[in-house]
Amino acid sequence: MKAADLAELTTAQKKVNALRLDFPLLNKPLTFGGKPRPLVYFDNANTTQKPRQVIGALVSYYENSNANVSRAIHSLGEESTRIYEGARDRVKSFLNAAHREEIIFTRGTTDSINLVAQSFTSLLKSGDEIMVTEMEHHANLVPWQMAAQSLGLTIKVLPFTDEGVLQIEKMPDLWSDRIRLVAVTATSNVLGTVNPVAEIIRFAHERGVPVLVDGAQSVAHQKVDVQALDCDFLAFGSHKMCGPTGFGILYGKKEWLEKLPPVQGGGNMIRAVWADHFETNVLPYKFEAGTPHMDGAAGFSVALDYLESVGLDFIYRYEKLLLAYTMDKVGDLPGLHVYGVAPEKGGILSFLIDGIHAHDLAAFLDTKGIAIRAGHHCAHPLARRLGVVSTARASFYFYNTMAEVDLFSDALREAIAKLS
Ligand code: PLP
């Protein structure tokens, strides 16, 4: 990496080390391989650690505010509703959405995408087409395949290059006037590639087709402004961005959400019910059936405060620098194969080392206190395209440090000596 970049990364360690103090699990004495060692948590694309501010918000919700939301007449119910609806305003401002009704609370990214896929099918008929990419997580593939199976739709797949760059120049060739929706990940959870989503949206919109963006790996790592991006739907989850598990967001443009029917019945999604029919509630409630994840909303709101105080631009830049530093440290390892070397890339390193199975490598690193993921990363078509069954994946967040990368590099060298 360039000397100026190294200097910038080195300077940033002070800020990062201060931030780390907020994360109980990063500061706890733990035992790995029979020895007390600090945790080196490089599995952030899977889920992130939680700062004490978020943990505190969850405890505080239950200690001070717990009651069911909406239609409550008593004070505690009103307080809980205030927190829950306050979280909606918080997400609206975080995304710069035009209307609070465009923010639907879900269980996570997968739930958000399934909601759109199930609801959108009401607008489709046999012979219609959905375009996806070859680098999608199963969560942004299988819901469309399920819709395709039940309705007789065709799935069109945009490929990527050996470097892991999405071949958007192939969009015109693959395009047809039967395409009804494009579903694309903003950042690949395996390759780390940051896709030119704005360009894809422009292309689809010029042809009158909406775009769903899977933001699971992007919203936590860079500033996403839904109005500037002009996406029609954006799906992401709280647990990959310092927030509680089981809570997520579907952003949808009002004009689309108004057109789409609800997919679950019961609770808050109704306005009135008769024995044989019902009237649907207004947005956003028409998509929020049943008692929602109130504590999730309370915690997520604080997670967004936390991420904005760290700075989304800082996070994006820092992870890029840390990845460059990592490549300087491990790039020359004998037998190393890196999957995904796109010029626009987030802090994700998927790799294999000749003669070592990814799972053996992950198990070995675990004895050193280093948590990485090994497997297909819920992206079978991508793995097939790469010609691998599994890869090892180290994925960073803003609280990872150069010192941790040094430990990782040393551990990989030891693994090569002992296992390959
Ligand atoms: N999309 C991408 C790109 C992901 O990386 C993931 C999870 O790793 C998901 C979707 C699914 O997220 P969740 O399991 O939180 O619903």
Side-chain angles (χ1 to χ4, degrees):
M1 68 193 298
K2 288 190 215 135
D5 288 350
L6 182 60
E8 186 183 340
L9 180 66
T10 307
T11 305
Q13 297 307 288
K14 197 167 164 219
K15 169 171 172 162
V16 167
N17 281 323
L19 290 170
R20 284 175 70 85
L21 298 176
D22 290 331
F23 291 80
L25 249 173
L26 300 180
N27 292 284
K28 223 180 151 108
L30 294 168
T31 302
F32 297 98
K35 285 194 185 155
R37 296 177 198 268
L39 168 67
V40 176
Y41 189 76
F42 283 175
D43 196 16
N44 294 289
N46 209 351
T47 198
T48 63
Q49 296 304 335
K50 319 300 171 198
R52 61 184 163 73
Q53 290 86 338
V54 169
I55 299 166
L58 294 174
V59 173
S60 170
Y61 175 79
Y62 282 113
E63 285 187 352
N64 302 308
S65 319
N66 178 51
N68 211 333
V69 293
S70 305
R71 288 190 272 251
I73 306 296
H74 58 77
S75 305
L76 208 54
E78 280 176 7
E79 164 69 359
S80 184
T81 305
R82 188 188 62 73
I83 292 173
Y84 184 70
E85 292 302 330
R88 203 182 307 276
D89 292 323
R90 189 67 193 81
V91 177
K92 171 187 179 277
S93 75
F94 187 78
L95 296 177
N96 189 32
H99 310 280
R100 68 190 309 279
E101 295 84 353
E102 297 180 321
I103 309 299
I104 312 293
F105 290 157
T106 67
R107 288 189 298 119
T109 310
T110 305
D111 195 36
S112 297
I113 297 171
N114 273 277
L115 192 165
V116 178
Q118 285 168 28
S119 188
F120 204 83
T121 50
S122 65
L123 309 179
L124 304 179
K125 54 183 180 313
S126 175
D128 285 347
E129 298 173 350
I130 307 276
M131 180 175 274
V132 296
T133 82
E134 205 176 13
M135 61 171 80
E136 296 309 317
H137 186 282
H138 296 160
N140 198 26
L141 200 51
V142 178
W144 305 112
Q145 293 172 348
M146 289 163 79
Q149 275 169 15
S150 67
L151 279 174
L153 312 176
T154 301
I155 306 282
K156 289 230 165 132
V157 184
L158 197 59
F160 63 85
T161 65
D162 291 344
E163 289 74 36
V165 177
L166 197 59
Q167 289 173 287
I168 59 163
E169 68 281 5
K170 297 210 166 160
M171 271 185 96
D173 288 343
L174 280 170
W175 199 261
S176 89
D177 59 7
R178 302 303 305 265
I179 291 184
R180 296 287 173 260
L181 183 122
V182 177
V184 57
T185 190
T187 299
S188 162
N189 63 313
V190 183
L191 306 165
T193 308
V194 176
N195 287 320
V197 173
E199 233 175 292
I200 293 171
I201 291 170
R202 242 188 335 267
F203 182 93
H205 282 182
E206 279 163 14
R207 289 151 185 84
V209 171
V211 178
L212 175 140
V213 177
D214 176 349
Q217 299 293 347
S218 68
V219 179
H221 302 274
Q222 64 187 112
K223 177 81 193 126
V224 175
D225 176 327
V226 288
Q227 291 192 75
L229 193 60
D230 202 23
C231 56
D232 301 277
F233 303 101
L234 174 73
F236 61 101
S238 147
H239 74 95
K240 291 187 200 292
M241 46 196 303
C242 293
T245 56
F247 186 76
I249 303 296
L250 171 66
Y251 158 83
K253 273 188 191 160
K254 206 171 161 192
E255 67 239 45
W256 275 111
L257 293 179
E258 273 168 353
K259 251 186 256 176
L260 295 178
V263 291
Q264 288 197 334
N268 231 2
M269 58 69 70
I270 54 96
R271 186 161 33 204
V273 182
W274 290 262
D276 60 352
H277 71 284
F278 68 96
E279 257 175 36
T280 306
N281 205 348
V282 293
L283 285 175
Y285 311 108
K286 88 172 183 190
F287 292 110
E288 293 180 5
T291 296
H293 192 352
M294 288 97 71
D295 52 319
F300 189 51
S301 196
V302 173
L304 295 185
D305 291 345
Y306 190 86
L307 291 182
E308 279 189 349
S309 76
V310 176
L312 271 301
D313 291 341
F314 171 81
I315 293 172
Y316 191 66
R317 173 88 183 137
Y318 182 77
E319 289 171 14
K320 257 185 174 310
L321 293 175
L322 196 62
L323 182 67
Y325 179 72
T326 308
M327 288 314 297
D328 276 5
K329 287 294 229 179
V330 306
D332 66 341
L333 287 181
L336 176 80
H337 302 272
V338 173
Y339 297 92
V341 289
E344 218 30 73
K345 184 172 154 78
I348 291 178
L349 175 66
S350 287
F351 64 100
L352 283 174
I353 294 173
D354 284 343
I356 310 179
H357 194 285
H359 289 94
D360 293 338
L361 186 61
F364 180 80
L365 292 184
D366 183 57
T367 66
K368 307 286 176 192
I370 302 170
I372 64 159
R373 180 148 191 231
H376 52 67
H377 315 297
C378 297
H380 280 163
L382 180 151
R384 231 169 262 128
R385 163 68 176 84
L386 297 176
V388 297
V389 176
S390 60
T391 59
R393 181 186 69 185
S395 52
F396 304 136
Y397 211 16
F398 59 84
Y399 44 62
N400 291 128
T401 64
M402 295 166 77
E404 289 182 316
V405 170
D406 294 345
L407 289 173
F408 175 65
S409 163
D410 291 347
L412 286 185
R413 276 162 220 280
E414 198 179 327
I416 290 170
K418 290 191 171 151
L419 302 180
S420 71

